[in-house]
Amino acid sequence: MTQLLTTTPHRRPAWCRAALWLLGCALAVPVAAEQAPQPAELPEPLALLAGLTDASRQHAYRGTIVMVQGGAPVSIAVEHRLLEKGSELHYMALDGVPYGIQLQYADRDCQLFGDPIARLTQPAASGALAAQSLDEYYRLESLGLQRVADRFVYAVIALPEDGKRHARRLFIDVKTGILLRSEYLSTQGQLLASSQFIAFSEQADSGRAAPADDDQQIAAQPLAVQRCESAADQLERVAAAEASAWRLGWWPAGFALSDYRRDAAGLESFMFSDGLAQFTLFVDTANHLPVDSIGGSRGATSAVIRHLRSDAGAVATVSVVGEVPRSTAEQILAAVQLVATTGAAR
Amino acid sequence: MSDYQQRINQSLSALADGELSELELQRLLRELDGPERESLRGRWRGYHQQRALLRGERIEFTDISAAVSAAIDAEPALRKSRWSSFGSGLGRVAVAASVAVFALVGVQQMQGSGDHQPALEFAQESLEVEHYSGPALQFPAGFRPELNAQTVSAQAGSPANRASRSVAVPVSAAMSEAEYLHSRNYLLTLLQRHQLQSASIANPALLPVMLPATLPDGRQPQ
């Protein structure tokens, strides 16, 4: 190397090299300071998680997410538009079946109810629920500064304290506070599922009525609209679970009942969330499976379906589906209780 | 069924699925040498027989663990030198159980390679190979129906007088195509409902949101 340098025929003069070096330093220092925060500035992991909800509501953005859940990757186009009141979040699958979801947030209160992450920002808002703090059942650690989708992110790992749930690794955008990459890990550290932005941009022209040219394909696809109901509606639904004849005798600490629904066919669903994961308990007294049980897992999602026979002889199909280890799903399922024999076979 | 029995059954089921951790395996092996020894062994044999039934295999389970235990007992010097650090019973049962499993696997493989074709083969990721080629009948990867009679316990009445009990559901050894499709669609419906409900309730800041494309067969919600 020394020889190559000394024998270069068109070597610049010393003053020129010095000027270039000074110019490079002058340009590089501000850029580096802006793009890469110093380690001393790393925020607390819990504070980062607490800011996720607000960050995702306040910023207009668009991008492409790639999800891997125990199979081939799936690409999803994402766009979050700010409206006069609230916002809209669009997801559209770019592979496979052309289908999308539009989540409408009428105001900033919707969907905050019952979610431990959101509750970090308003701890006294939902007194009806067990308000266990997230860091009581996850050990949160900072993994420093990393880079996702060409942006600097704070990396945080949430390790379950009890082994009843998956570990999570979350990568949060330094500039906006939006989650750019999310991973489910097994207790052995194996990557089970992930979703991450491979392209992300902050949108300036939010609130527009007509989609841009590159939105035409997305707009042409069918969208399932999910409206975010108010916290009062969600409270009402959760309260309706009290009328159910079915109870869970046990579930992992930190999970709280976040939603309850009962459809016309009598299928009841109880959704629990611990802020980073969800599972749903289904009780179905109308549909009898020809097999005694179904079980398994794919990526981070486990499903266990069993028959249950009450004392009165009524048979129900009970199931636990969610982003928890299969062993946890089995434990939850084993704790299903029929608290009233009357009405069990409704 | 007591909590203890449920836990042991779950461990046995996990072991049969190859999902038991090293620590749990050690605990289970200790239980295998305890008072529940015979019933646990019976359950273990049952799990494997049911798995064989699922594959449409004929299987003649021969429990040679007793013979292996007897053979080990007949060699006291060897047993003391090799297994004394593990306790007298643990090592014996572990060896016997291992040999029994290997014998069972051997029989299954031999029968599978013969003329007998399995009626239905259910896929389980990274554990089993899918032999059934009909896409309409493929169960989603990672999930499978089970014909075992493991049930949850129904508890009725007030918490004070609830009595835990297990209820056996009759084992159906064969399934028609319609029954198979019914089971498969039921699973997909639950996965779909869970995903959509998660999307509408869970914090949207926490990806992944669930879409039909991420369902096992990419089907569109109805």
Side-chain angles (χ1 to χ4, degrees):
Chain A
M1 179 64 77
T2 306
Q3 188 182 7
L4 280 175
L5 286 174
T6 52
T7 55
T8 303
H10 303 294
R11 213 174 157 206
R12 293 185 178 90
W15 64 268
C16 182
R17 280 183 282 133
L20 283 174
W21 184 82
L22 285 172
L23 181 65
C25 287
L27 290 174
V29 167
V31 171
E34 180 181 325
Q35 290 189 343
Q38 298 302 310
E41 299 171 7
L42 290 178
E44 285 296 313
L46 195 62
L48 279 173
L49 296 183
L52 278 176
T53 302
D54 278 346
S56 67
R57 296 282 174 82
Q58 288 171 348
H59 293 88
Y61 60 87
R62 64 190 313 178
T64 304
I65 292 175
V66 170
M67 292 181 63
V68 180
Q69 173 113 343
V74 174
S75 304
I76 298 166
V78 183
E79 180 165 13
H80 183 241
R81 297 173 185 163
L82 298 180
L83 305 176
E84 192 174 343
K85 279 184 68 178
S87 60
E88 285 180 355
L89 185 58
H90 296 247
Y91 292 96
M92 178 60 61
L94 300 177
D95 307 324
V97 179
Y99 189 78
I101 293 179
Q102 176 182 329
L103 302 171
Q104 295 182 345
Y105 308 122
D107 54 56
R108 307 190 103 247
D109 285 337
C110 63
Q111 293 199 358
L112 292 181
F113 165 80
D115 185 273
I117 283 283
R119 216 164 42 220
L120 291 172
T121 58
Q122 41 177 235
S126 51
L129 296 172
Q132 203 171 356
S133 178
L134 190 84
D135 54 358
E136 289 179 46
Y137 45 92
Y138 284 106
R139 191 171 80 245
L140 302 173
E141 291 177 8
S142 173
L143 297 179
L145 200 64
Q146 299 191 25
R147 193 163 158 265
V148 169
D150 197 24
R151 297 171 72 92
F152 284 101
V153 291
Y154 296 119
V156 172
I157 190 164
L159 298 162
E161 295 279 13
D162 56 3
K164 303 293 184 191
R165 62 204 96 210
H166 297 309
R168 296 295 296 274
R169 199 158 48 190
L170 306 169
F171 300 81
I172 299 159
D173 188 35
V174 168
K175 187 176 177 191
T176 63
I178 292 172
L179 188 68
L180 293 187
R181 180 178 171 90
S182 163
E183 295 174 342
Y184 284 95
L185 305 169
S186 72
T187 49
Q188 286 81 35
Q190 181 190 9
L191 183 63
L192 299 172
S194 70
S195 67
Q196 79 161 86
F197 278 95
I198 57 169
F200 180 89
S201 68
E202 295 171 71
Q203 223 177 8
D205 55 342
S206 58
R208 65 216 158 109
D213 288 345
D214 50 353
D215 286 334
Q216 292 299 339
Q217 188 182 355
I218 291 180
Q221 306 297 342
L223 279 177
V225 176
Q226 303 272 328
R227 285 188 176 79
C228 172
E229 286 126 357
S230 68
D233 289 337
Q234 290 186 352
L235 263 176
E236 202 173 296
R237 284 212 303 276
V238 170
E242 287 294 320
S244 172
W246 301 90
R247 294 285 185 276
L248 262 187
W250 175 89
W251 63 85
F255 280 93
L257 183 63
S258 302
D259 195 20
Y260 167 77
R261 296 181 190 191
R262 177 186 167 88
D263 68 10
L267 175 64
E268 296 179 73
S269 60
F270 304 74
M271 171 158 277
F272 291 77
S273 171
D274 75 345
L276 296 181
Q278 283 79 236
F279 72 83
T280 307
L281 165 71
F282 293 99
V283 181
D284 193 350
T285 53
N287 198 332
H288 302 302
L289 280 183
V291 293
D292 296 322
S293 65
I294 300 173
S297 58
R298 174 191 170 94
T301 304
S302 300
V304 185
I305 304 174
R306 297 263 192 277
H307 280 170
L308 183 145
R309 182 169 293 167
S310 74
D311 293 344
V315 175
T317 304
V318 291
S319 318
V320 172
V321 180
E323 283 67 53
V324 292
R326 180 176 173 182
S327 57
T328 302
E330 295 268 10
Q331 272 187 281
I332 296 167
L333 195 61
V336 172
Q337 296 171 351
L338 179 65
V339 293
T341 52
T342 56
R346 288 176 299 177
Chain B
M1 186 183 293
S2 69
D3 289 344
Y4 163 78
Q5 285 173 318
Q6 284 178 356
R7 201 175 64 244
I8 292 298
N9 284 348
Q10 286 163 5
S11 297
L12 269 179
S13 175
L15 180 60
D17 289 337
E19 296 174 353
L20 200 65
S21 71
E22 189 66 29
L23 273 176
E24 287 175 304
L25 177 62
Q26 294 300 325
R27 186 168 58 83
L28 186 61
L29 287 174
R30 278 195 296 275
E31 300 293 345
L32 279 171
D33 205 24
E36 297 290 326
R37 170 179 178 161
E38 284 311 313
S39 68
L40 287 176
R41 287 181 170 200
R43 226 167 285 145
W44 173 252
R45 281 196 299 271
Y47 282 138
H48 282 280
Q49 284 169 330
Q50 288 147 15
R51 286 161 66 94
L53 277 174
L54 273 170
R55 301 187 189 95
E57 294 168 345
R58 290 185 299 268
I59 184 165
E60 294 177 7
F61 190 97
T62 305
D63 188 356
I64 59 174
S65 56
V68 173
S69 292
I72 292 172
D73 282 339
E75 295 179 6
L78 182 61
R79 183 169 70 90
K80 274 185 182 175
S81 62
R82 295 187 64 180
W83 301 105
S84 55
S85 63
F86 292 93
S88 59
L90 176 61
R92 185 171 68 240
V93 174
V95 170
S98 304
V99 174
V101 171
F102 283 127
L104 180 63
V105 170
V107 171
Q108 287 176 337
Q109 286 176 341
M110 287 174 66
Q111 292 203 343
S113 61
D115 293 334
H116 176 71
Q117 293 295 320
L120 286 174
E121 185 80 20
F122 304 120
Q124 187 178 16
E125 275 181 348
S126 75
L127 288 179
E128 296 164 4
V129 181
E130 276 186 60
H131 292 297
Y132 189 82
S133 58
L137 284 185
Q138 282 179 359
F139 229 66
F143 299 96
R144 59 185 176 147
E146 296 157 348
L147 296 184
N148 64 35
Q150 184 180 352
T151 61
V152 293
S153 61
Q155 298 178 328
S158 66
N161 60 13
R162 275 177 200 147
S164 236
R165 75 198 107 223
S166 63
V167 187
V169 172
V171 172
S172 49
M175 255 193 307
S176 69
E177 182 176 332
E179 289 172 333
Y180 187 96
L181 284 173
H182 182 187
S183 306
R184 172 183 176 275
N185 286 336
Y186 190 75
L187 168 67
L188 286 172
T189 300
L190 293 191
L191 284 169
Q192 177 183 299
R193 278 174 179 262
H194 167 72
Q195 293 184 348
L196 284 174
Q197 204 165 343
S198 292
S200 63
I201 291 301
N203 193 320
L206 286 166
L207 301 173
V209 72
M210 297 301 183
L211 281 178
T214 66
L215 286 172
D217 71 345
R219 77 173 184 171
Q220 191 165 330
Q222 294 148 2

